[in-house]
Structures are given as structure tokens and as C-alpha cells.
Amino acid sequence: MKGFASDNYAGAHPEVLAAIADANDGHAAAYGADPWTARAEELLREHFGEQALSYLVFNGSAANVLSIRALCRPWESVICAAQSHINVDECGAPEWIAGTKLQAVPTLDAKLTPELVESQIARIGDEHAVQPRVVSISQSTELGTRYSPYEISALAHFAHERGLLLHVDGARLANAAAALDVPLRAITTDVGVDAVSFGGTKNGILLGEAVVFLQPEHAEGFRYLRKQTLQLASKGRFLAAQFIALLEGDLWRRNAAHANAMAARLGAALVGAPGITITQPVQANGVFAIVPRGVTEALQRDWPFYVWNEHTGEVRWLCAWDTTEDEIDAFAAAVKQACAVV
Amino acid sequence: MKGFASDNYAGAHPEVLAAIADANDGHAAAYGADPWTARAEELLREHFGEQALSYLVFNGSAANVLSIRALCRPWESVICAAQSHINVDECGAPEWIAGTKLQAVPTLDAKLTPELVESQIARIGDEHAVQPRVVSISQSTELGTRYSPYEISALAHFAHERGLLLHVDGARLANAAAALDVPLRAITTDVGVDAVSFGGTKNGILLGEAVVFLQPEHAEGFRYLRKQTLQLASKGRFLAAQFIALLEGDLWRRNAAHANAMAARLGAALVGAPGITITQPVQANGVFAIVPRGVTEALQRDWPFYVWNEHTGEVRWLCAWDTTEDEIDAFAAAVKQACAVV
Amino acid sequence: MKGFASDNYAGAHPEVLAAIADANDGHAAAYGADPWTARAEELLREHFGEQALSYLVFNGSAANVLSIRALCRPWESVICAAQSHINVDECGAPEWIAGTKLQAVPTLDAKLTPELVESQIARIGDEHAVQPRVVSISQSTELGTRYSPYEISALAHFAHERGLLLHVDGARLANAAAALDVPLRAITTDVGVDAVSFGGTKNGILLGEAVVFLQPEHAEGFRYLRKQTLQLASKGRFLAAQFIALLEGDLWRRNAAHANAMAARLGAALVGAPGITITQPVQANGVFAIVPRGVTEALQRDWPFYVWNEHTGEVRWLCAWDTTEDEIDAFAAAVKQACAVV
Amino acid sequence: MKGFASDNYAGAHPEVLAAIADANDGHAAAYGADPWTARAEELLREHFGEQALSYLVFNGSAANVLSIRALCRPWESVICAAQSHINVDECGAPEWIAGTKLQAVPTLDAKLTPELVESQIARIGDEHAVQPRVVSISQSTELGTRYSPYEISALAHFAHERGLLLHVDGARLANAAAALDVPLRAITTDVGVDAVSFGGTKNGILLGEAVVFLQPEHAEGFRYLRKQTLQLASKGRFLAAQFIALLEGDLWRRNAAHANAMAARLGAALVGAPGITITQPVQANGVFAIVPRGVTEALQRDWPFYVWNEHTGEVRWLCAWDTTEDEIDAFAAAVKQACAVV
């Protein structure tokens, strides 16, 4: 069953389960007024800076949509890559729940640049048009690529000059930081990011994400928004304990770096192999490729993974914290063999 | 003050004001339960077919957003041209009021084709993705182009094959019908359209549009949607009287045909003139052009009109029911002179 | 056909139609950038004070819902009388369009008091509960009663002390001001009201209402909200001209005072008559009563009016700017006769 | 720290943690396409009937709001008790997220009756009024009371006769079933309920609730609604494993029956004690009481619990699956002593 469908096909790291069991100790105040939540928030400040205000939620869709609700007024829009999760994988939640229009920009690698953002800024002050307010990028991206700190800094600088804010969908922020070998704040707080959806689920916990505001003023009233958006856990300690497990030591980095290494190993094994086109740089924990017709279905019988683009046939292979070198090697061999047969 | 900014800079045709005065006769039941509304609905059936169910609303934004609310469930999306009014000129109303995601397709001429629609259909049955439900086209388009009956028929056929519905933003439907010299139903009912926003405001009335359902089942509960969306006029007779003035005789066609003729005259005068590029076929009541830098601002001092595209400098010149030949000739001369000077 | 169903069964005053015809003069900038709109806004400042910022919209539902959208954040609520129009006559628009919870308070006479408002203020700062933000009253009320300037002042004072704002649904504000023989500002601006839905439709125009902000800071971004909520008229001059007709002279007061006088005449004719219970003080242009079973249906054959409460059988008789003394006398006689027969 | 604030102050039952650990076994398909979810759904069918369609979500707010989204069209309303959780404890989520108006009925004991529901049904077919569609009751209620199977059957019967549906907020459905000593279906499926929010969090799991449709047609498109409402867990097995732990044996009943027994013990110890008024029948796991001024704050220093009504001073004491007899006895003694001192 183990395959390359998604990093959320993996289970939870044992240290996470242990943390949950530790937190299961008698009664605790509900709705986040417990010591575990306080500790998780403290750790998030350690990682994202003293000013960071963090709010735990259930999943990444919620972290993204709540970020939008917090940052945009009803007539304001979000500029994002056409391939971004908020644009194509939330079943319209940004529009329905936040009421927000997305201005989706076609890109080759799922990355925005100041020039691409610029192309979406128009009709400022014209009441017939939504007014751009947020630039939202994914780090690492939905195509397994990543932004350098410099690229994010340039986007933040440009955004702020134009009166916009910069949001990072960080469902895989840990993968990007690990790949760059920098602290989390080096690609967020320190380069001008305003708000982050910081992911846990895809990096070895059961479930849970954090909305992290790096400028406290954007968090005004957020407690109410979280509750109203159905994202306030009553037994908050069990979300918090998982983040403590991730962030108190280096589990977040160990898990992410391992997944990245496995993707790199897979990419290295396949690059240049006959019939295989690696379509994106392998910069995090995913490999994107186009393989000959027929190969995809044959491989999927033994190894779960997704076709990423129905129109081009591009496939996605994601590695997780628990992917092993043996699995990579076996899968790479299988891919090469299948392509060779065709 | 008279210029080419928009067909809604023009006032109301005298026959429309006369119809309002006629309707101002004692008391009448409110909220559409009056004889004028019944007559307007009857006329709309004459124009759009016996099955047509029509609902008057205040403006075109409302007609479009209400059409979307009626046709889409919360997880369903609308495929439209990137230049469409619903995508760029409603200040996010489809997203906020209807909660609906638009799938906006880049086009050269603001027109969709089955191939372009096809490119947006993917991930059917995948709960992470919105599910396409409506194809929305503008007739005539925001770029002054129009669809032939055959083109609409092909879109309707394709849409229905894929389980989609076809909506027409007909803020300028009269212009298209007049230009094609066909009845309104020849480009709607008879070619498979499911719902129409039928415009009046831009064609010589004070204010008012109609949502016309060509398949009655799509109108279920629409009375409630119209009221809830703040579009139920209490003194409905005054909206209805205007539509009676338009539709009882041929005022709708006279007004539209005149505006079209004025645009054709302007286009003919300018095509091939030095420094002027007509950017779109002149097929309704608008002319789109690129003129040398500096010319736009100089001309705008005397003649109001809009820059259509801030990035390219393309301008839009629209003609109305009351534009005169003399005005066209004077403006054409002014444009040519200004371009020549540059 | 003339009866007592509603003040919106009446048509438009001739001076209003004349103003529309006057405004129908050549081209004018669309979307409110025209001289008529500027003049209407100036007149609204004359009536409501120099700081007043006014925005014309199509109907009263829109004026109310837009007021709520402007004044409330998503987690904030509106305290109103259970009988208020926003609570029972908008088909859920405050909830759907504004997303706002109403805290509806049962009352005998559709009027709020500081004590009733106080009863709704609880759990401040508790993220599980909506946070009260606006007190909304109707003046005159849906039951034909009215607030004195002192009563409104007391509500405004109390509201502001508690961090709340005071909104007035003034669909019939003119009737209240006329009945009290005071200027419009005496029951709004001068007694601490923050925002008003100022009605025109029920007082002799074709259609149109104004959202009037008495504190400019609450109007921030309102232009966008109006457009997004489908309430921006393209030919704005025709809305504005009607308000000019109402407000430039004393037409607003003449119309309202006449309607009030007719209601007073009807009330005086019926009070104490056998079988008739006048259920509310007659303080504006409506009379509410309970009559014997069977009388209602018999009367409705000749005189349109509404049953107000299906459960108690209470009926509502509204007078309009064009109701005549003869009609009142004839109807009063008919009511008395019908009751006597029973 | 252990007290009587809420049943969600308690942690998770050890059997639940064990089930999570068991489920943490290699990779599993995400988003509910895993064997644990299939097993949980099977168990829910065993408890609620073969036709039951179940969907796991993160919390009770979500289960309720999603039930409303599934059952109501935009102009339809929900009739509920004024004290219901959906009315007072969701921070306006039904209105914001579902867009739905609640018709909240004052009650003494948080229970609806056919007569109370009847009082809310009016203006059917009138487009100005929301149209009642759902009756929502809580079982057991927010005041610790419960409905008998007969009472629910009568409500279902009445609702269906009027074209309404019956929804049960069953955050504490297990407590009601345990108290009545009946299966879950005896107070839902077998008595005509249409949809249930079936709670787990308050009954000994980490987090998780289920939306259970007892008539499959109401679940149409619900997969999309769940995703769009941000309630689709990627590692769905960890929600499912908890429900397996609850439902495969009798853990759900053991936990609930124990909490109920503790509340009964507390109620029995305090009833008739000087200065204490038990305000509601003790029929599930909560005791509601009014105690002398000053007592509440004194007690809260050692025992966390909530003031339920700021205006009357009524307090709520809830028992959980892990409340002990010793704790009850010590707290009862403390209450009696504190009241005696006053």
C-alpha cells in the first residue's frame, strides 16, 4: 500500500503519539486555555519571532481560508499562482467561506514573481474591480519547487510597496526550510512575510496546522473568526501536544529533511532515464514527471500515486517522513523498467 | 459632455419616460403582482418563447449574480472568459454574494469556444475541486464582438453533452440581435441557451434588467433568491413599464441598431488611419483601438471615454441609442487629427 | 384597486416624474459621477448635517443590509425588535448577504428600549458568542408607532456607552419627522444616530433609498460594498433626481404629513367602534386593528390590505401620500358596517 | 484542576488512544478512502440503520453547520430552541457559513414541542419571509434535559406533516441513549429523525463528530460541502479509529452512563439543600442550579465550572466519563458548606 500518492498517506511519527499520550493527563481547560497550547504558542514564537501570534486549526484548508478571512476585507482579492492549492484544491472554500476572489496567475513552476504580481495590479480605487490585498505563495510549492529567501524577500518588498500583504501557504514550509537548511523564520519573519499557514499534518502528525501572524495587528478578532469558521478544537491540548512534539526538538526538521532526501534520491535515479521527463526541479519532497502512455496505470497497480494533470498526463510522486531508501530504489527500478518496456 | 464612455451615459428614450408616466396611475399591487409586470412577462415570452420565465431586477450585476445563484450549487463553478463582466467588473459579487468560483479563461476576443471550455473541465467527481456547472458568455461581448447563432448552438451542444448549462450575459443582447438581424430567441432559446440576463439599461431605459429562464425548472425558488438578493422592486410596475416600452414595438431593435450603426461608422472612419490600430472586429456598438501615447489624454479632454487596458493602453469607444452621425464624424476627425499630430 | 395594503401601492408624485424628465438631458457620467447625484448628496447633507455621507441604492432591503455590512465585522451582531423588517421581511438577506446574526427581541410595540437592549448584551469577549455591535430601530416602526427624539437619544447614549452603534431603518423616517413636526436631523443626527436607511419609495418616488452615515468613518470602503452588493445604479442621475424632488423643497414632508393625517382620520373614525380593537397607537401612517372573524375577508374584496399576524388575525391599514379623505371615510364606514353585521 | 466546567475538559479514554496507535500502521489512502473509515461507517450503519450515510468531521460546530448546509436551501430557515448551541454558541457560524436564518424559540427547558414549532410556521409561500425547513433539537439538551423517544417521534411526525425535516444536535446523544437505556437508533432512526450530529468529543475521544443522514437523499453532494467547509481530514483513519473504539463495543455507552450517574449523584446530594435551587431535571450528565450570591466565585477557586446565565446567576455543573464518585462527594460537600456559610 505504501507509495507516493501523498505525504498525508503516511501516519504519525511515534514521538507525536507519545506526546498525545503524555497530554492525556486528567482535566484541562477547553478551547485552548490549557498549558499545552500555551507551550505550543511559545515554541511558535521561538521559531517565528517574539511578535508571532499563532492559532491552531484542524487542517491546511482552514489555515489558508482563515488567513484570507483575516487579511482581506470583502472587496479585496488574493493574487496567487494558478496551480496553488487555494485555487484548485479547496473546492471553492476561499470563495464560499471567505467570499474572496482569487486572481490566479498562470505560471510554469507554481511560483510568483514581482513581475507576475504586478501584472495583476490594476484599477486601484475603481469600485467595479476587486482591490488586490494579499499575495499568497506556497512554500514549498504544489510542484515541488521552492522559493529562496531572496525571492520571498523581493516579493514581500514589492507587495508592501504596493500596499499588499504576503501570505505563505506553508503546508510544506518545513520541507522548504530543511531543503534550504535555514530556520523557519529565515523564509518567513526575516524576509517580510505577514502571515503563514504552518503545516503539521504532512510532516508527521495526526492532524493540525497553525495560522501564524507575524504582524500582531492582523490577528485582531481572529479568535472569533476561528470559532466561526468551525476550527476551534475543544480539547485543544491534543492539537498543541503534536506541535510541541514537532517543534521542541528538531523533529520537524528531521521528518522534512528525510522526505526531501528521498525525493532527491528518486529524482536522481530517474533523471535522464529513457522515456522519462522530470518536469520540475526537485527542490523539496516531490518529483513531477511525464512518462509514456500506459506506464502510469501499470505502475499504479502496485504503487499508489496521482496523475497531476489530466490533460498532459504529468504525474506526481511525493515522499513522506517514513519513506525508505529501499522503497525509493524499488520504485525507481519499477519506473525505469516500465518505461523501457514501452 | 456627450462622448463614448459608455452606452449607460445616455439617458432614457422618450417612449420609455412616457410609458412610466402612463403606469403612474393610481394604486397597484406591489412586488410584481401588477398588470404591467404581467404584460412585461407576456412580452418576454413572446420574444423568448412560451416556456420563458422572466424576473425583473434592478441592474445587470444583479441579473448575472442571480443567474449564477439559481444555476449553481455551492460547489459548482462558472466557466467564463477572462474579460467577462462577471469576472472583472462586479467587484467580486459572484464570489461574495453567490459564493461561486469563476474559472476564467484567457481569450483574444472575449469569446469562448467549446475547446476553451473543454480545457477547464477536469477532476469531475473529485471533491477537492469545484465542479463546472455553467458556461457563461456575453453577447455581444465586452470587446464589442459577437457570437453567431451557430457558435452559440455549438457551445450549448457541447455544454449539455458535458452536463453543463449555458448562460448568456445579455446586457447588450439587443445589440447582437440587431447586428445579426435576427429575433432575440434566435440567439438564445432557439440555439439551446438555458438562462439569459437580458439588458435594458444600456439600451435606452432608466434602469432594469430581466433574468430569463428558458427552461422553467431552473427558476425553482427564484422568487426567494431575488428578494433575498435585494432585487425585488416594491413598485414593480415602473420596471415593467420600461420593458413594455422596449418590447411591445420595435424600440429595443431601433435603439440597438442605431448604436451599432454609429459604431460601424466610427470604425469605418478610423480603420487604416495612420497611428490607429482597431483591435477588435466592430460587431456591435463598440470600437476598441490602440492609439499613440498622448493621444488618449488629449482626446479625453473633450470626449469622455475609457482606457480599457491600463497595461496596453487600449481604449474603448461605445456608441449609444442617442449618438448622432455628426458626433461620430466630429470625433473621428478629432482622433485622426490627434494621431496625425503625434 | 386603491386600498390600504401598503404605502408602496401608491405611484409616484408628479413632481418626482417631472424631476426625472428634467434629468433626462443628454449624456451624464455613470455610476454616480453626475451633477444630480452631487446635488442629492448636498441636499442630504443639508438635512442630516455637514458630515453626512450618503449613498443611493435601489430599495430599503438593500439600504438595511448594506448598513449592516458596513457597521459589523463578521462576528458582530445586530440587536433589533422581533417585529422589525430586517428580522421578518428580508427573506434572510441579513444572514445570507451580510452573514450577520440578528438578536431579535420580543416587544409589544416594535420599539426597543435601553432595558431591552441591555437584556441582549452578554458574554462580551467570549469567542463562542456573537458580539453585539449595532442596535437597529425602525422609525416609524413596522407597527405604526414612533420614537420620540428623547427615546432615540436615550438609546444612542446607552448604545455608545456599551460600544454599540445605533442604526435607524428609516423607510418611513419622513412619516416620523412629519408626525413629530421636526427636521429629519432632530431624530437622527442630533440625537446620536450613527447610520440611517433613509426611505424614498414609500414616500412618493418610483424607487430609491439612501444609506446615510452620520459619522464618516463608518463609510470607509462603502463604495465597494455598494457595488458588490449589486446596488450601484449606472444611470445614477435618475435615482438622484427623485431625491432632489423630495428634498429640495418640502415634498418629503408634505407627502408624509398627508399620509399621517389620513391614518389619524381612519383611527379616529374607528376607535371605540363596536367589534374593533385598535391594537397600536396611531403615530404615523398606519392603523393596526383586530376585527371580528369574517370581516377581514369581506372587506378585502373591495379594499386591498394585509393580515399582519396570521395567528391573531391582526390587520394593517396603511395610508399613502395619495390617499384621500373620501377614501378614508368610505373605508371607515365599510369597516364599521361589516363589524356591525357580525 | 478537575472540576465540572465541561465534559470536554476530560481527556481521552485509554481505549481510544490505543485505537489511534493501532491505526498508525504504515500508509493509508487519505481523505477517508481507508479501511478504518470504511469500518467506522459500517459501525455507524449498525447503530443508525442500514440506510445511514455518515461523514466524519472535526467538531460539533461543524457537524451542526454542515447539517444545516445540507438540509436548507438559501431561503430556508431552522427552527430551534433559544438556548440551543447553534443559536448561542457558534459565534454566528450558521448565519455566516451556511447563510441560514435561525428561528429561535424561547423555552423553559431547552426543549421544543410541536406547539412551539407550530408557532414559528407562518407566511408559507411569501417570498419576503424565510421558509421554515428544519426543526433542530439537542439530545440531550444544553440544559441537561432530554427528550423521550415519544417526544421525538411526535416532533418528527409534526415536522414531516408540515414539510419540515428533523435534525438532532447529538453532541451528547450517547448520554441521552444511555440515560434512557435504549440503542442510539431508538431516539433517531426509529422515531423519524432525518439527520444527526453524532458527538464523540464530549464522550471520551480526542476530537471528532459524525454527520449521519438517515435518509440518503439528503446527503447528495455532501462530500463537496464537507470539503468546502474545511472539514475533510486528510489522515481520516485517525478520526475513524476513535469512532471504532467508541462503537465497536460498548465504550460509547459506558462513558456516557458513567457521566450520567455522576450527575445524578450530584443532583441527589444537593436537591433540597439549603440555599440551592436545582433549576432543571437532571436527565443526562449535567446539573443546573442557582446558589446564593458569592458562593459561585468562592467555589470556582477550587473547582472550575461555568456561570450559565450572566443575568440570573444560574450555574452549570457537567460530569464527564472520568468524573469519580469521590469528586462528586467532595464537591457536593463543598457546595453545601459554601451555601450554609452564606
Side-chain angles (χ1 to χ4, degrees):
Chain A
M1 186 65 206
K2 221 162 154 189
F4 302 90
S6 179
D7 30 16
N8 59 33
Y9 274 49
H13 193 280
E15 295 175 27
V16 171
L17 285 193
I20 288 174
D22 281 352
N24 194 31
D25 178 25
H27 278 207
Y31 302 114
D34 63 85
W36 292 269
T37 299
R39 176 63 181 145
E41 290 172 0
E42 184 181 42
L43 287 165
L44 285 158
R45 284 195 300 276
E46 286 178 19
H47 283 278
F48 288 99
E50 261 316 297
Q51 294 205 320
L53 285 173
S54 297
Y55 298 82
L56 302 184
V57 298
F58 295 119
N59 65 8
S61 301
N64 286 334
V65 171
L66 272 163
S67 296
I68 292 173
R69 287 197 73 189
L71 300 178
C72 291
R73 289 178 293 182
W75 58 88
E76 292 175 339
S77 64
V78 174
I79 298 170
C80 61
Q83 299 97 334
S84 65
H85 204 273
I86 55 171
N87 191 44
V88 297
D89 276 306
E90 308 289 21
C91 197
E95 292 83 0
W96 183 275
I97 305 289
T100 303
K101 187 175 190 70
L102 306 181
Q103 297 185 245
V105 192
T107 72
L108 289 178
D109 55 1
K111 288 172 61 179
L112 292 180
T113 62
E115 292 69 31
L116 287 172
V117 173
E118 167 84 37
S119 73
Q120 296 297 308
I121 302 178
R123 304 174 65 187
I124 301 303
D126 173 355
E127 71 206 300
H128 296 79
V130 289
Q131 302 292 301
R133 176 60 174 159
V134 169
V135 177
S136 181
I137 62 174
S138 299
Q139 170 78 320
S140 60
T141 76
E142 293 80 3
L143 293 179
T145 55
R146 66 171 190 257
Y147 292 85
S148 71
Y150 173 78
E151 289 172 318
I152 297 176
S153 178
L155 276 164
H157 210 263
F158 177 81
H160 296 159
E161 268 185 357
R162 296 306 188 91
L164 310 182
L165 302 172
L166 183 59
H167 166 258
V168 174
D169 176 353
R172 296 187 182 97
L173 190 73
N175 296 94
L180 291 161
D181 197 19
V182 298
L184 294 168
R185 60 176 297 155
I187 49 176
T188 53
T189 320
D190 294 349
V191 287
V193 170
D194 297 288
V196 180
S197 301
F198 176 57
T201 314
K202 292 186 162 88
N203 197 27
I205 70 175
L206 295 177
L207 81 163
E209 316 277 312
V211 179
V212 187
F213 294 101
L214 305 176
Q215 307 291 340
E217 70 265 29
H218 300 308
E220 198 200 333
F222 191 77
R223 291 186 307 123
Y224 298 103
L225 288 184
R226 179 175 59 174
K227 168 66 191 179
Q228 188 183 70
T229 315
L230 314 170
Q231 293 293 321
L232 179 58
S234 57
K235 298 182 177 176
R237 55 174 146 163
F238 295 118
L239 287 182
Q242 299 179 74
F243 277 89
I244 297 171
L246 275 186
L247 295 174
E248 201 151 38
D250 66 349
L251 182 60
W252 71 270
R253 188 183 290 277
R254 269 186 283 142
N255 280 350
H258 177 80
N260 292 347
M262 293 303 99
R265 187 180 186 97
L266 180 60
L270 295 181
V271 69
I276 300 174
T277 307
I278 305 290
T279 52
Q280 295 289 341
V282 180
Q283 299 180 334
N285 67 321
V287 178
F288 288 73
I290 293 181
V291 291
R293 273 176 201 285
V295 165
T296 296
E297 287 181 18
L299 286 169
Q300 282 176 323
R301 270 174 231 132
D302 293 324
W303 309 83
F305 63 87
Y306 285 106
V307 173
W308 188 247
N309 185 321
E310 293 179 22
H311 293 286
T312 65
E314 188 181 21
V315 298
R316 181 185 79 164
W317 298 316
L318 282 192
C319 299
W321 67 269
D322 65 349
T323 304
T324 66
E325 295 191 353
D326 286 352
E327 287 159 359
I328 293 292
D329 296 344
F331 182 62
V335 174
K336 283 196 269 198
Q337 186 179 354
C339 292
V341 169
V342 177
Chain B
M1 189 61 206
K2 218 161 154 189
F4 302 89
S6 180
D7 30 16
N8 59 33
Y9 275 48
H13 193 281
E15 296 175 25
V16 171
L17 284 193
I20 288 175
D22 281 353
N24 194 31
D25 178 25
H27 278 208
Y31 301 114
D34 63 84
W36 291 270
T37 299
R39 176 64 180 144
E41 290 172 0
E42 182 180 44
L43 287 165
L44 285 157
R45 284 196 298 275
E46 287 179 16
H47 282 278
F48 288 99
E50 262 316 297
Q51 292 206 320
L53 286 173
S54 297
Y55 298 81
L56 302 184
V57 299
F58 295 119
N59 65 8
S61 301
N64 286 334
V65 171
L66 271 164
S67 295
I68 292 172
R69 286 197 75 191
L71 300 180
C72 291
R73 289 178 293 182
W75 58 90
E76 294 176 337
S77 64
V78 173
I79 298 170
C80 60
Q83 299 99 332
S84 65
H85 204 273
I86 55 170
N87 191 43
V88 296
D89 276 305
E90 308 290 21
C91 197
E95 291 83 1
W96 182 275
I97 304 289
T100 303
K101 186 174 192 70
L102 306 181
Q103 297 184 244
V105 192
T107 72
L108 289 178
D109 54 2
K111 288 171 63 179
L112 292 180
T113 62
E115 291 69 29
L116 288 171
V117 173
E118 167 84 37
S119 74
Q120 298 296 309
I121 301 178
R123 302 174 66 187
I124 300 304
D126 173 354
E127 70 205 301
H128 296 79
V130 289
Q131 302 292 303
R133 176 61 174 158
V134 169
V135 177
S136 180
I137 62 174
S138 299
Q139 169 79 317
S140 58
T141 76
E142 294 79 5
L143 293 178
T145 54
R146 66 170 189 259
Y147 293 85
S148 70
Y150 173 79
E151 288 172 321
I152 297 176
S153 178
L155 277 164
H157 211 262
F158 177 80
H160 295 158
E161 268 186 358
R162 295 307 188 91
L164 310 181
L165 302 172
L166 183 58
H167 167 257
V168 173
D169 176 353
R172 298 187 182 96
L173 190 73
N175 296 95
L180 291 161
D181 197 20
V182 297
L184 294 168
R185 61 177 296 156
I187 50 175
T188 52
T189 320
D190 293 351
V191 286
V193 170
D194 296 288
V196 180
S197 301
F198 176 57
T201 313
K202 293 186 161 90
N203 198 27
I205 71 174
L206 295 176
L207 82 163
E209 315 278 311
V211 179
V212 187
F213 294 101
L214 305 176
Q215 307 291 342
E217 69 266 29
H218 299 309
E220 198 201 333
F222 192 77
R223 291 186 307 123
Y224 298 103
L225 289 184
R226 178 173 61 172
K227 167 67 190 179
Q228 187 183 70
T229 315
L230 313 169
Q231 292 293 321
L232 179 58
S234 57
K235 298 181 177 178
R237 55 175 147 163
F238 295 118
L239 288 182
Q242 299 179 73
F243 277 89
I244 296 171
L246 276 186
L247 295 175
E248 199 152 40
D250 66 349
L251 182 59
W252 71 271
R253 187 183 292 275
R254 270 186 283 142
N255 281 348
H258 177 80
N260 292 346
M262 294 302 100
R265 187 179 184 98
L266 180 60
L270 295 181
V271 69
I276 301 173
T277 307
I278 305 290
T279 52
Q280 294 289 341
V282 180
Q283 298 180 333
N285 67 322
V287 178
F288 288 73
I290 292 179
V291 293
R293 276 175 198 285
V295 165
T296 296
E297 287 180 18
L299 286 169
Q300 282 176 323
R301 271 174 232 129
D302 294 323
W303 308 82
F305 63 86
Y306 285 106
V307 174
W308 189 248
N309 185 322
E310 293 179 21
H311 293 285
T312 64
E314 187 182 21
V315 299
R316 181 186 78 163
W317 299 316
L318 281 193
C319 299
W321 67 269
D322 65 349
T323 304
T324 65
E325 294 191 355
D326 286 351
E327 287 159 0
I328 292 293
D329 296 345
F331 182 61
V335 173
K336 284 196 268 198
Q337 187 177 354
C339 291
V341 171
V342 176
Chain C
M1 187 63 206
K2 221 163 154 187
F4 302 90
S6 179
D7 30 16
N8 60 32
Y9 274 49
H13 193 279
E15 296 175 27
V16 171
L17 284 194
I20 288 174
D22 282 351
N24 194 30
D25 178 25
H27 277 208
Y31 302 114
D34 62 85
W36 291 269
T37 299
R39 176 61 181 146
E41 290 173 0
E42 184 181 42
L43 287 165
L44 285 158
R45 284 196 298 276
E46 287 178 18
H47 283 278
F48 288 99
E50 262 315 297
Q51 293 205 321
L53 286 173
S54 297
Y55 298 82
L56 302 184
V57 298
F58 295 119
N59 64 9
S61 301
N64 286 334
V65 171
L66 272 163
S67 296
I68 291 173
R69 287 198 74 190
L71 300 179
C72 291
R73 289 177 294 182
W75 58 90
E76 293 175 338
S77 64
V78 174
I79 298 170
C80 60
Q83 298 97 333
S84 65
H85 203 274
I86 55 171
N87 191 44
V88 297
D89 276 306
E90 308 290 20
C91 197
E95 291 83 0
W96 183 275
I97 304 290
T100 303
K101 186 174 191 70
L102 306 181
Q103 298 184 244
V105 192
T107 73
L108 289 178
D109 55 2
K111 288 171 61 179
L112 291 180
T113 63
E115 292 69 29
L116 288 171
V117 173
E118 167 83 37
S119 73
Q120 296 297 309
I121 302 178
R123 303 174 65 186
I124 301 303
D126 173 355
E127 71 206 300
H128 296 79
V130 288
Q131 302 291 302
R133 175 62 174 159
V134 169
V135 176
S136 181
I137 62 174
S138 299
Q139 169 78 320
S140 60
T141 75
E142 293 80 3
L143 292 179
T145 55
R146 65 170 191 259
Y147 292 85
S148 71
Y150 174 78
E151 288 173 319
I152 297 176
S153 178
L155 277 164
H157 210 262
F158 177 80
H160 296 158
E161 268 186 356
R162 296 307 188 88
L164 310 182
L165 302 171
L166 183 58
H167 166 258
V168 173
D169 175 353
R172 297 187 182 98
L173 191 73
N175 296 93
L180 291 162
D181 197 20
V182 297
L184 293 168
R185 61 177 296 154
I187 49 175
T188 53
T189 320
D190 294 349
V191 286
V193 170
D194 296 287
V196 180
S197 301
F198 176 56
T201 314
K202 293 187 161 88
N203 197 27
I205 70 175
L206 295 177
L207 81 163
E209 316 277 313
V211 180
V212 187
F213 293 101
L214 305 176
Q215 306 291 340
E217 70 265 28
H218 299 308
E220 198 200 332
F222 191 77
R223 292 187 306 122
Y224 298 103
L225 288 184
R226 179 174 59 173
K227 168 67 191 179
Q228 187 182 71
T229 316
L230 314 170
Q231 292 294 320
L232 179 58
S234 58
K235 299 181 177 177
R237 55 174 146 165
F238 295 119
L239 287 183
Q242 299 178 73
F243 278 90
I244 297 171
L246 275 186
L247 295 174
E248 201 151 39
D250 66 349
L251 181 60
W252 70 271
R253 187 184 290 278
R254 268 186 284 142
N255 280 349
H258 177 80
N260 292 347
M262 293 302 99
R265 187 180 185 97
L266 179 60
L270 295 181
V271 68
I276 302 174
T277 307
I278 305 291
T279 52
Q280 295 289 341
V282 179
Q283 299 180 333
N285 66 323
V287 178
F288 288 73
I290 293 181
V291 292
R293 273 174 203 284
V295 165
T296 297
E297 287 181 18
L299 286 168
Q300 282 176 323
R301 271 173 230 130
D302 293 323
W303 309 84
F305 64 86
Y306 284 107
V307 174
W308 189 246
N309 184 322
E310 293 179 20
H311 292 286
T312 65
E314 187 181 21
V315 299
R316 181 186 81 163
W317 298 317
L318 281 192
C319 299
W321 66 270
D322 66 349
T323 304
T324 65
E325 295 190 354
D326 286 352
E327 286 159 0
I328 293 293
D329 297 345
F331 182 61
V335 174
K336 282 196 270 197
Q337 186 176 357
C339 291
V341 169
V342 176
Chain D
M1 187 64 206
K2 220 161 152 191
F4 302 90
S6 179
D7 31 16
N8 60 33
Y9 274 48
H13 193 280
E15 296 175 27
V16 170
L17 285 193
I20 288 175
D22 281 352
N24 194 32
D25 177 26
H27 278 209
Y31 302 115
D34 62 85
W36 292 270
T37 299
R39 176 63 180 145
E41 291 173 359
E42 183 181 43
L43 286 165
L44 285 157
R45 284 197 298 276
E46 287 178 17
H47 282 278
F48 288 99
E50 260 317 296
Q51 293 206 318
L53 286 173
S54 298
Y55 298 82
L56 302 184
V57 299
F58 295 119
N59 66 8
S61 300
N64 286 334
V65 171
L66 272 164
S67 295
I68 292 172
R69 286 197 75 190
L71 300 180
C72 292
R73 288 178 295 182
W75 57 89
E76 293 176 337
S77 65
V78 174
I79 298 170
C80 60
Q83 298 98 333
S84 66
H85 203 273
I86 55 172
N87 191 44
V88 297
D89 276 305
E90 308 289 22
C91 196
E95 291 83 0
W96 183 276
I97 304 289
T100 303
K101 187 174 191 69
L102 306 182
Q103 298 184 243
V105 192
T107 72
L108 289 178
D109 55 2
K111 288 170 63 179
L112 292 179
T113 62
E115 292 69 30
L116 288 171
V117 173
E118 167 84 38
S119 74
Q120 297 296 309
I121 302 178
R123 301 174 66 187
I124 299 305
D126 173 355
E127 70 205 300
H128 296 78
V130 289
Q131 302 292 301
R133 176 61 173 157
V134 170
V135 177
S136 180
I137 62 174
S138 299
Q139 169 81 318
S140 59
T141 76
E142 293 80 3
L143 293 179
T145 54
R146 66 170 190 258
Y147 293 85
S148 71
Y150 174 79
E151 289 172 319
I152 297 176
S153 177
L155 277 164
H157 211 261
F158 177 81
H160 295 159
E161 267 186 356
R162 296 306 188 91
L164 310 181
L165 302 172
L166 183 59
H167 167 258
V168 173
D169 176 352
R172 297 187 182 98
L173 190 73
N175 296 95
L180 291 161
D181 198 19
V182 298
L184 294 167
R185 60 177 297 156
I187 49 175
T188 52
T189 320
D190 293 350
V191 286
V193 170
D194 296 290
V196 180
S197 301
F198 176 57
T201 314
K202 293 187 162 88
N203 197 27
I205 72 174
L206 295 176
L207 81 163
E209 316 277 311
V211 180
V212 186
F213 294 101
L214 305 176
Q215 307 291 340
E217 70 265 29
H218 300 308
E220 198 200 333
F222 191 77
R223 292 186 307 123
Y224 298 103
L225 289 184
R226 179 173 61 172
K227 167 68 191 178
Q228 187 183 71
T229 315
L230 313 170
Q231 293 293 321
L232 179 59
S234 58
K235 298 182 177 176
R237 56 173 146 166
F238 295 119
L239 288 183
Q242 299 179 73
F243 278 89
I244 297 171
L246 275 186
L247 295 175
E248 200 152 38
D250 66 350
L251 182 60
W252 70 272
R253 187 183 291 277
R254 269 186 283 142
N255 280 348
H258 177 80
N260 292 346
M262 293 303 100
R265 187 179 184 99
L266 180 59
L270 295 181
V271 68
I276 300 174
T277 307
I278 304 291
T279 52
Q280 295 289 341
V282 180
Q283 298 180 333
N285 67 321
V287 178
F288 288 73
I290 294 180
V291 292
R293 274 175 202 285
V295 165
T296 296
E297 287 180 19
L299 286 169
Q300 283 176 323
R301 270 173 231 131
D302 293 323
W303 309 83
F305 64 87
Y306 285 107
V307 174
W308 188 247
N309 185 321
E310 293 180 20
H311 293 286
T312 64
E314 187 181 22
V315 298
R316 181 186 78 164
W317 298 317
L318 281 193
C319 299
W321 68 269
D322 66 349
T323 304
T324 65
E325 295 191 355
D326 286 351
E327 286 159 1
I328 293 293
D329 296 344
F331 182 60
V335 174
K336 284 196 268 196
Q337 185 178 356
C339 292
V341 170
V342 175

